[in-house]
Amino acid sequence: MRTQKGTLIKDIKRQKYIYLMIFIPLVFYAVFKYIPLWNAQIAFRDFKSVRYGILNSPFVGLKNFKEFISSYYFWNLIKNTLMYSFGKLLVSLPSAIVLALAIYECRRPILRKTVQTLAYLPHFLSWVIMYGILLSLLAPGDGVVNDLLKTLGKKPIDFLTNSNVFPFLVIFSDAWKEMGWSAIIFIAALMGIDVSLFEAAMVEGATSWQRVRYITLPAIRPVIVIVLLLKIGTIMEAGFNQIFMLYSPAVYNVADIIDTWVYRQGLLDGRFGLATAAGLFKGVIGMLLIFITNYFSKKYTDNSLF
């Protein structure tokens, strides 16, 4: 026991900078992720005011969860949340992979760097700025897209208040904003492929598509699976900031998600217990999904998070 303890101390002293690098993210997660879990007990209490605090609020068990699940809005919130989450997953992930492949296959360094930079830039813009850009492009009066439609003899479309168009606007604007940033991890994976494989394939007469199909995609498959697993774990996160900026009462039926409903119930109506119960419900569903998908991924692809 003393030998193991002495070895551990020697190891910490020898690798002190590595342990210091680990210490900082551990503190971050402890302060901002684990300590706030204490406040999750509000979901089981009738919390009305900070004056009485959490512990002095009456314990109501699963009352808040039952009220959320039996709410008139429950199934519509679940439907909208899953629609946006899966829609973004189906559009964003393939588009990021295609962009990474295109950048990797590009043989002109200037063009490659230009495309990379332009693709990364939208990620650094907030949804407030993105809303302004979308409004200037899609406004029914003087938006660029509607001006083009008028020129072609078509009727203008109010993209932000049309229930049929709004979901597509949310999904594709998210793909536009995050596609370049998401492609970084796939480009890094592509850089790790042995170049001799491509050279051998070219000697054998393989076309570009055959090289992508039989070398590139199989080589980055583990990374694709890991990214997919991580996104499945946050499948109940449909993008609060984006939808909060874009939605309006005219499109509530297709735009309202769990996060926006939690915002209105918690901060606007002061129903902290109900809002926390909805947020906790969302977190538990996400955790179960990541365990289930990780199990099947490990069973059928030999790739998993744990």
Side-chain angles (χ1 to χ4, degrees), residues 221-223 225-226 229 293-306:
R221 188 179 65 179
V223 177
V225 172
I226 295 298
L229 286 174
T293 52
N294 187 73
Y295 169 78
F296 284 106
S297 174
K298 191 174 184 178
K299 185 175 181 180
Y300 294 109
T301 69
D302 291 330
N303 297 303
S304 62
L305 288 174
F306 45 85

Side-chain angles (χ1 to χ4, degrees), residues 90-154:
L90 290 175
V91 174
S92 298
L93 186 61
S95 59
I97 295 171
V98 170
L99 178 63
L101 290 171
I103 292 173
Y104 180 73
E105 293 290 334
C106 182
R107 294 293 174 253
R108 297 181 181 277
I110 295 177
L111 179 61
R112 184 168 63 238
K113 290 179 181 178
T114 303
V115 171
Q116 276 185 281
T117 305
L118 292 176
Y120 296 163
L121 278 178
H123 171 77
F124 298 101
L125 301 177
S126 69
W127 275 110
V128 178
I129 298 174
M130 290 296 292
Y131 174 75
I133 295 172
L134 290 172
L135 195 62
S136 65
L137 290 173
L138 306 174
D142 55 354
V144 176
V145 175
N146 276 317
D147 283 345
L148 182 62
L149 290 175
K150 291 174 190 173
T151 305
L152 296 173
K154 306 290 184 181

